[in-house]
Amino acid sequence: MISKQESGRRAKAAALFDKIDALLVTKPENVRYLTGFTGSNGMLLLLRDGSATLFTDPRYTVQSKQQTDCEIVIAKGTLTKAVLKAFTKSGARNIGFEQDHLNVAQFEALKKGLTLGLELVGVSGLIENLRMAKDEGEIALIRASVIANSQALENALGRLEIGMTEAEFAAEIDYANRKLGAEGLAFDTIVAAGVRAALPHAHPGPAVIGPGMLLIDMGVFHNGYASDMTRMVHLGEPTEQYREAYAAVLEAQLAAIDAVKPGAGVVGVDKAAREVLKSHGFDKAFVHSTGHGLGLEIHENPRIGRKGKGKLETGMAITIEPGVYLEGWGGIRIEDTVLVTSTGCEILTPTSKALRVVS
Ligand code: ZN
Ligand code: ZN
């Protein structure tokens, strides 16, 4: 189905052209954002006047027609060749390319085929920055992705048993998400039991889930849009140390969420979480950023960290996910997907954050 919003996005993008007459978009998420085309092989040439041509291969002849209202070129050879032809016809002198995405081989092929007088100009983050603030349609898709992901956790927890391996429980989560309509995982599901929870990005393996803490970080794509959530469950009665650490991380997470509003600097939001953890003596145990944007990709701008840039804007979808990690003990992280609204924020993740004990 072709929707109208993509042409509006292309006009917005073209209005940002500064030193370039045209932009060759190669990153699949950016191509999708500007055209609606979801195929794996596509390039978009966007001109200053907003007109656009999508280049793809014969496998996508039907699909591209169904998904986009751009002009379509089905390339018989490489896309690069077809793109070069269009460069010459376009009248553009300076053509931007996505320097964070185009690989060296593609760049060399483009450069070699350029007509005299045409220049390639590296461009960074132009479409990514446009994608930061989501429109109503995107927000609805992120919301649906987040709700399904939360439901999948509940379904999987119904099957959790002591003695399962991390990998088995991760498979239960992935199965539950697939059954709820996820088209794929946003990242490899993290299930980390006991001391392994001290590894922020533990890969689920043969470790057996016993009494103790269990960290679960999960996210999926629904209709192209990501969800991301981390929750802790404790099998059997938790220790006092676990309760205290859990309370500290939750306090930090709530403090950061409290700081989320339009105009708030991302560094300030990160600091809000960091200050709370510091007051509990956990400042050295918080080894990553507080959060990240998400949308068509699981990690997008803005980055909510000490080195993050810029301010929050209405419509941004971000995660807030402070954690503490203590070698030889374990780790705790709590993560929600949060929407920046005109008045502050809305926590999209419906799953409770009360300390959860399963027996
Ligand atoms: Zn996560
Ligand atoms: Zn995350």
Side-chain angles (χ1 to χ4, degrees), residues 187 201 217-218 227-230 289-294 298-299 318-321 333 335-337:
F187 53 89
H201 269 195
D217 190 351
M218 56 195 281
S227 47
D228 193 0
M229 166 175 74
T230 308
S289 303
T290 293
H292 53 87
L294 85 177
I298 182 63
H299 293 119
I318 57 171
T319 69
I320 297 292
E321 50 177 308
R333 178 163 72 250
E335 174 181 29
D336 284 328
T337 300

Side-chain angles (χ1 to χ4, degrees), residues 1 3 26 32 35-36 49 64 71 83 90 113 118 124 171 193 201 216 230 241 254 263 327 329 332 358:
M1 216 182 3
S3 62
T26 51
R32 179 176 187 158
T35 65
D49 65 4
S64 59
E71 198 176 311
V83 163
S90 70
L118 269 176
S124 184
H201 269 195
I216 302 153
T230 308
Q241 193 185 3
L254 293 174
E327 195 181 347
W329 179 76
I332 291 171
V358 294

Side-chain angles (χ1 to χ4, degrees), residues 4 26 29 32 51 75 88 91 122 148 159 177 180 186 195 218 226 228 242 266 285-286 288 299 318 336 341 354:
K4 292 267 169 265
T26 51
E29 292 85 358
R32 179 176 187 158
S51 62
T88 313
R159 305 176 76 90
N177 258 322
L180 288 165
V195 290
M218 56 195 281
D228 193 0
Y242 177 84
V266 295
F286 180 23
H288 53 74
H299 293 119
I318 57 171
D336 284 328
T341 64

Side-chain angles (χ1 to χ4, degrees), residues 265-276:
V266 295
V267 173
V269 174
D270 177 77
K271 200 172 171 198
R274 230 165 269 284
E275 294 280 290
V276 171

